Amino acid sequence: IRLEDKFHEDIDLSKLHYEYYTCEDMSVEDKHKTYKCCKDNTCCKDDLCFGYIQVYYGKLPRLVVTTPIMKCPFGIQNQGSSYNLALQFTDLKEDSYMNSFYEWMQMIEFSHMKYLGLSDSDVNSYITQIKHDKKGKYDPNLSIKIPFQYNKFVTDIYSDNNPAINLFYVQRFSNIQCDIYIDKIWKYNQQFVCKWKVKCIYVV
């Protein structure tokens, strides 16, 4: 288990592209829904049969990036139906590399919004994964989902200092580095979201 070392400055965003899928029957339960590829995405944001948008990097149906070393201010968070962690853009104003990563993350979200056809008037229809506190007192965080399927986490974790480490060893304010990825843009309650998911965690 090791990180892939796919750093943002080495990723060519001109290779980022999308495919739009419509749902063939919106009345059935999610697990029974089927989708078909739609070549015309011009009205996808208003399509009542919106299924999802597949994110591609080149021919790969996902975009993977290795983060800088970042603080995990809250540890692993159990939010009922999902597990999440936050990665803080620490020293954003002073650290040029962290600032570059932050701006790169914004560019990814702007690319999603452009594909969806969102304008300044409906930009709030997109749920950003970059979270700012309302008072601006703290550095922003990137919200990350921890995949959990069949009663187990689908995420690798390792540390040079603790061979037996598992996810619940990640304490508040741990320094970690992660391989994270996006693969789909979904629509929930009239809003669009593309969640970053963690593939591998290195606890520093």
Side-chain angles (χ1 to χ4, degrees):
I1 302 170
R2 302 298 296 181
L3 295 175
E4 294 187 22
D5 292 343
K6 293 184 175 181
F7 300 107
H8 73 279
E9 67 269 29
D10 299 322
I11 293 175
D12 180 1
L13 290 185
S14 68
K15 295 181 180 180
L16 184 67
H17 62 103
Y18 307 90
E19 280 188 357
Y20 172 50
Y21 286 78
T22 57
C23 180
E24 296 186 296
D25 186 353
M26 297 294 287
S27 66
V28 302
E29 295 181 15
D30 285 349
K31 63 182 179 180
H32 296 304
K33 285 179 179 176
T34 56
Y35 303 92
K36 63 178 180 181
C37 185
C38 179
K39 299 300 182 184
D40 181 11
N41 75 301
T42 52
C43 297
C44 68
K45 67 171 183 166
D46 301 314
D47 190 348
L48 296 178
C49 294
F50 184 97
Y52 64 89
I53 294 168
Q54 182 69 51
V55 179
Y56 283 90
Y57 181 69
K59 294 182 179 180
L60 299 175
R62 61 173 57 185
L63 171 64
V64 180
V65 64
T66 303
T67 71
I69 295 173
M70 302 171 78
K71 287 191 187 304
C72 181
F74 312 115
I76 303 299
Q77 299 169 280
N78 183 347
Q79 299 184 334
S81 60
S82 65
Y83 290 86
N84 298 273
L85 58 86
L87 296 178
Q88 187 180 64
F89 295 97
T90 311
D91 299 326
L92 182 60
K93 294 180 180 179
E94 294 80 17
D95 185 334
S96 60
Y97 188 79
M98 189 66 74
N99 185 266
S100 171
F101 181 63
Y102 172 80
E103 291 181 348
W104 186 85
M105 278 290 170
Q106 287 186 313
M107 288 170 56
I108 297 291
E109 294 197 339
F110 292 153
S111 176
H112 298 345
M113 288 185 271
K114 181 179 179 180
Y115 182 84
L116 284 161
L118 299 178
S119 62
D120 290 343
S121 62
D122 54 11
V123 69
N124 289 334
S125 296
Y126 186 87
I127 304 172
T128 179
Q129 299 305 293
I130 301 172
K131 309 298 183 183
H132 295 261
D133 70 287
K134 293 180 180 179
K135 295 182 179 179
K137 185 177 179 181
Y138 303 103
D139 287 317
N141 295 323
L142 181 66
S143 179
I144 309 287
K145 182 177 181 179
I146 303 173
F148 188 79
Q149 297 176 351
Y150 307 112
N151 294 317
K152 66 178 183 179
F153 292 108
V154 192
T155 299
D156 293 322
I157 184 168
Y158 70 100
S159 171
D160 295 334
N161 303 318
N162 184 355
I165 198 168
N166 63 48
L167 282 168
F168 293 103
Y169 277 86
V170 180
Q171 303 299 315
R172 295 182 61 181
F173 298 105
S174 295
N175 286 319
I176 63 176
Q177 190 171 21
C178 303
D179 285 337
I180 60 176
Y181 67 93
I182 46 174
D183 53 5
K184 291 179 176 63
I185 302 172
W186 296 97
K187 189 175 185 180
Y188 296 106
N189 298 324
Q190 305 308 308
Q191 289 184 296
F192 301 96
V193 62
C194 184
K195 288 187 174 292
W196 286 95
K197 302 167 189 172
V198 62
K199 181 180 179 184
C200 185
I201 300 172
Y202 169 54
V203 180
V204 178

